[in-house]
Amino acid sequence: MSTTHEHSLALEQGENSKFEVLEIAVRELAISRGLFSAEDHRRFTEWSEQVGPAGGSRLVAKAWVDPEFKARLLANGIEACKEVGIDWAQPTGHGAPSDYTWFYVLENTPQVHHVIVCTLCSCYPRPVLGMSPSWYRTVNYRRRIVRWPREVLSEFGLYLPPEVEIRVHDSNAKSRFMVMPMRPKGTEGWSEEQLAAIVTRDTMIGVALPSADWTATQPPSQGAS
Amino acid sequence: MRKFQIGDRVTVKEGTSLFYTRVQTYTRGKTGVIADYRPAWVIPEDEAWGRDDGRKEPFYVVRFNQRDLWPEYKDQNDTLETEIYERWLEPAKEEAK
């Protein structure tokens, strides 16, 4: 048995990937040239990492109670976002926090269930959903959801009947997508705010369905639901 | 002027991957239907080199039946959509004369 230390292909804990090295190099160059300061960079990072899915939840809740807003949202996602205070061009002026060109909301129906992925990298509608969950960026999710969507959804606890068409959206170009789930039973008469609370991140990726008894802002109860 | 219309059946070309394309390997040689239009944009082959003034082409949403992408896929109705630009598409092979 060899006693020499052998590097595996997997990265060691704390080791920088090539992309991380590149990012640091470009960042330090930009700071040294005065394009922005280290403090500017820290503030942008702190801000972008706290953007959560609340914006998307508000969009869906508003669409559920206001058919005219829903029509505007489906017709022009970028413009409709401004009605709930989300401007995709801010603060960089050309799409934030990552580049984008168009935003499309995918409406679930009794016949079609949408789910999003980016097999090439990690495209995600960050201005409305914040940073993507770590599993969304894994090769495991990306390569399997396009090929075995029903099996992958079942791993999230979501089983859809065979008559429902599952439509995977591989976000490979200039569009960003978000799923608009169907309003669940038991929410009749709820306010927009109450509805927004049950439109969780996973329901807008398409790996879960909203439920009147679940909001991700409260810890889950013990045992099977 | 767009080469394809909504409803047209198209086959993704089996092109080389020498350059940056954003056309997934799993769609190459596969046939789907034009589901929607997307505006023209600089093609990835040029954009990858920072050529924002590069060649622009219309993009399309192509919808594939999953059974046309994966031979072992069981459910008949499931689909996958992705966005492909014109140079990578040709009229569906089974309909070509």
Side-chain angles (χ1 to χ4, degrees):
Chain A
M1 185 181 278
S2 168
T3 54
T4 56
H5 179 73
E6 291 177 4
H7 271 285
S8 66
L9 285 172
L11 289 173
E12 300 285 342
Q13 185 94 31
E15 190 176 350
N16 288 321
S17 71
K18 286 177 183 173
F19 271 121
E20 286 167 327
V21 172
L22 181 63
E23 184 274 323
I24 292 166
V26 172
R27 185 199 335 153
E28 291 188 343
L29 191 60
I31 291 170
S32 71
R33 297 294 174 92
L35 292 177
F36 53 78
S37 69
E39 173 74 1
D40 291 335
H41 180 270
R42 188 201 61 75
R43 287 184 177 186
F44 187 91
T45 304
E46 189 172 38
W47 167 77
S48 70
E49 290 183 352
Q50 64 75 44
V51 178
S57 307
R58 288 206 307 279
L59 287 173
V60 173
K62 190 172 172 64
W64 280 349
V65 301
D66 182 349
E68 289 180 4
F69 174 75
K70 179 172 141 183
R72 292 196 295 278
L73 179 62
L74 296 176
N76 189 332
I78 298 284
E79 284 302 311
C81 278
K82 293 176 183 169
E83 297 185 43
V84 299
I86 297 167
D87 184 347
W88 282 63
Q90 293 302 323
T92 60
H94 54 80
S98 62
D99 78 313
Y100 78 96
T101 306
W102 297 284
F103 173 49
Y104 295 97
V105 175
L106 310 164
E107 183 187 15
N108 277 353
T109 69
Q111 290 80 36
V112 182
H113 176 86
H114 301 280
V115 59
I116 64 171
V117 64
C118 172
T119 54
L120 299 178
C121 47
S122 58
C123 297
Y124 193 70
R126 286 197 207 172
V128 291
L129 296 188
M131 298 288 277
S132 59
S134 55
W135 54 259
Y136 181 87
R137 300 189 292 269
T138 60
V139 171
N140 185 310
Y141 176 76
R142 287 152 53 196
R143 68 159 59 119
R144 292 172 67 238
I145 192 71
V146 293
R147 187 165 186 167
W148 297 288
R150 287 181 184 271
E151 289 81 351
V152 173
L153 293 181
S154 75
E155 292 165 14
F156 286 95
L158 178 58
Y159 300 87
L160 295 167
E163 58 270 23
V164 173
E165 171 190 335
I166 294 179
R167 189 175 296 167
V168 178
H169 296 261
D170 188 355
S171 180
N172 70 327
K174 291 293 176 183
S175 304
R176 299 293 173 266
F177 303 99
M178 184 191 97
V179 178
M180 181 195 296
M182 287 186 288
R183 182 170 173 171
K185 288 177 183 160
T187 60
E188 295 77 13
W190 284 25
S191 71
E192 218 174 291
E193 196 178 343
Q194 285 175 297
L195 290 169
I198 61 166
V199 185
T200 61
R201 177 195 70 192
D202 291 356
T203 70
M204 293 181 281
I205 296 174
V207 297
L209 300 179
S211 166
D213 65 0
W214 169 242
T215 170
T217 56
Q218 297 290 327
S221 55
Q222 297 293 310
S225 58
Chain B
M1 187 66 187
R2 285 180 181 269
K3 193 173 169 184
F4 303 106
Q5 307 302 317
I6 289 175
D8 286 355
R9 289 182 61 75
V10 290
T11 299
V12 182
K13 291 179 186 172
E14 298 252 30
T16 165
S17 288
L18 267 180
F19 302 104
Y20 189 69
T21 68
R22 300 190 77 86
V23 178
Q24 307 93 321
T25 306
Y26 71 80
T27 66
R28 305 278 177 92
K30 301 294 169 43
T31 295
V33 63
I34 302 288
D36 208 348
Y37 305 123
R38 292 289 189 252
W41 196 261
V42 179
I43 63 173
E45 284 89 335
D46 286 352
E47 193 181 33
W49 297 97
R51 295 178 189 160
D52 292 340
D53 59 348
R55 292 165 287 181
K56 280 195 172 184
E57 276 185 19
F59 279 65
Y60 299 88
V61 177
V62 182
R63 183 181 301 161
F64 299 92
N65 187 291
Q66 287 279 30
R67 299 210 299 182
D68 292 328
L69 292 176
W70 317 106
E72 78 283 8
Y73 203 96
K74 291 188 181 67
D75 292 270
Q76 296 187 14
N77 298 327
D78 293 352
T79 55
L80 180 143
E81 287 188 0
T82 195
E83 296 173 353
I84 299 178
Y85 44 110
E86 208 156 82
R87 69 178 50 223
W88 279 92
L89 298 173
E90 57 192 358
K93 279 176 179 166
E94 74 267 19
E95 286 154 13
K97 291 183 179 173

